[in-house]
Coordinates of all heavy atoms in Angstrom, one line a residue:
M913 N -63.5 -29.3 46.3 CA -63.2 -27.9 45.9 C -61.9 -27.5 46.5 O -61.4 -28.1 47.5 CB -64.3 -26.9 46.2 CG -65.6 -27.1 45.4 SD -66.8 -25.8 45.8 CE -68.0 -26.2 44.6
V914 N -61.3 -26.4 46.0 CA -60.2 -25.8 46.7 C -60.6 -24.5 47.3 O -61.2 -23.6 46.7 CB -59.1 -25.4 45.6 CG1 -57.9 -24.8 46.3 CG2 -58.6 -26.7 44.9
H915 N -60.4 -24.4 48.6 CA -60.8 -23.2 49.4 C -59.6 -22.3 49.7 O -58.5 -22.9 49.9 CB -61.5 -23.6 50.7 CG -62.9 -24.1 50.4 ND1 -63.8 -24.3 51.5 CD2 -63.6 -24.3 49.3 CE1 -64.9 -24.7 51.0 NE2 -64.8 -24.8 49.7
G916 N -59.8 -21.1 49.8 CA -58.7 -20.1 50.2 C -59.0 -19.5 51.5 O -60.1 -19.3 51.9
K917 N -57.9 -19.0 52.1 CA -58.0 -18.3 53.4 C -58.7 -17.0 53.1 O -58.2 -16.2 52.3 CB -56.6 -18.2 54.1 CG -56.7 -17.9 55.5 CD -55.3 -18.0 56.1 CE -55.3 -18.0 57.7 NZ -54.0 -18.1 58.2
T918 N -59.7 -16.7 53.9 CA -60.6 -15.5 53.6 C -60.6 -14.6 54.8 O -61.0 -15.1 55.9 CB -62.0 -16.0 53.2 OG1 -61.9 -17.0 52.1 CG2 -62.8 -14.8 52.7
F919 N -60.4 -13.4 54.6 CA -60.4 -12.4 55.7 C -61.6 -11.5 55.5 O -61.9 -11.0 54.3 CB -59.1 -11.5 55.7 CG -57.9 -12.3 56.0 CD1 -57.1 -12.8 54.9 CD2 -57.5 -12.7 57.3 CE1 -56.0 -13.5 55.2 CE2 -56.4 -13.4 57.5 CZ -55.6 -13.8 56.5
S920 N -62.3 -11.2 56.5 CA -63.4 -10.2 56.5 C -63.4 -9.3 57.7 O -62.9 -9.6 58.7 CB -64.8 -10.9 56.4 OG -65.0 -11.8 57.5
D921 N -64.0 -8.1 57.5 CA -64.0 -7.1 58.5 C -65.0 -7.6 59.6 O -66.1 -7.9 59.4 CB -64.5 -5.8 57.9 CG -64.3 -4.6 58.9 OD1 -65.0 -4.6 60.0 OD2 -63.5 -3.7 58.6
P922 N -64.5 -7.6 60.9 CA -65.3 -8.0 62.0 C -66.6 -7.2 62.2 O -67.5 -7.7 62.8 CB -64.4 -8.0 63.2 CG -63.4 -7.0 62.8 CD -63.2 -7.1 61.4
E923 N -66.6 -5.9 61.8 CA -67.7 -5.0 62.0 C -68.7 -5.1 60.9 O -69.9 -5.2 61.1 CB -67.2 -3.6 62.3 CG -66.4 -3.5 63.5 CD -65.9 -2.0 63.8 OE1 -66.2 -1.2 62.9 OE2 -65.3 -1.7 64.8
T924 N -68.2 -5.0 59.6 CA -69.1 -4.9 58.5 C -69.3 -6.2 57.8 O -70.3 -6.3 57.0 CB -68.6 -3.8 57.5 OG1 -67.3 -4.3 57.0 CG2 -68.3 -2.5 58.2
G925 N -68.4 -7.2 58.0 CA -68.5 -8.4 57.2 C -67.9 -8.3 55.8 O -67.9 -9.3 55.1
R926 N -67.4 -7.2 55.4 CA -66.9 -7.0 54.1 C -65.6 -7.8 53.9 O -64.8 -7.9 54.8 CB -66.6 -5.5 53.9 CG -66.0 -5.2 52.5 CD -65.8 -3.7 52.3 NE -64.7 -3.2 53.2 CZ -63.4 -3.2 53.0 NH1 -63.0 -3.7 51.8 NH2 -62.6 -2.7 53.8
F927 N -65.5 -8.5 52.7 CA -64.3 -9.2 52.5 C -63.1 -8.3 52.2 O -63.2 -7.3 51.5 CB -64.5 -10.1 51.2 CG -65.5 -11.2 51.5 CD1 -66.7 -11.2 50.8 CD2 -65.2 -12.2 52.4 CE1 -67.6 -12.2 51.0 CE2 -66.2 -13.2 52.6 CZ -67.4 -13.2 51.9
L928 N -62.0 -8.6 52.8 CA -60.8 -7.7 52.8 C -59.8 -8.2 51.7 O -59.6 -9.4 51.5 CB -60.1 -7.7 54.2 CG -61.0 -7.2 55.3 CD1 -60.3 -7.4 56.6 CD2 -61.4 -5.7 55.1
K929 N -59.2 -7.2 51.1 CA -58.2 -7.4 50.1 C -56.9 -7.8 50.8 O -56.7 -7.4 52.0 CB -58.0 -6.2 49.2 CG -59.2 -5.9 48.4 CD -59.0 -4.7 47.5 CE -60.3 -4.3 46.7 NZ -60.1 -3.1 45.9
P930 N -55.9 -8.4 50.1 CA -54.7 -8.8 50.8 C -53.9 -7.6 51.4 O -53.3 -7.7 52.5 CB -53.9 -9.4 49.7 CG -54.9 -10.0 48.7 CD -56.0 -9.0 48.8
D931 N -53.9 -6.4 50.7 CA -53.2 -5.3 51.2 C -53.9 -4.6 52.4 O -53.4 -3.6 52.9 CB -52.9 -4.3 50.1 CG -54.1 -3.8 49.4 OD1 -55.2 -4.2 49.8 OD2 -54.0 -3.0 48.4
E932 N -55.1 -5.1 52.7 CA -55.9 -4.5 53.9 C -55.6 -5.3 55.1 O -56.2 -5.1 56.2 CB -57.4 -4.5 53.6 CG -57.8 -3.5 52.5 CD -59.3 -3.6 52.2 OE1 -59.8 -4.6 51.7 OE2 -59.9 -2.5 52.5

Side-chain angles (χ1 to χ4, degrees):
M913 291 185 176
V914 180
H915 286 188
K917 201 170 190 178
T918 309
F919 299 95
S920 59
D921 191 292
E923 294 182 355
T924 65
R926 181 178 65 86
F927 294 112
L928 300 173
K929 298 177 181 178
D931 57 2
E932 295 179 291

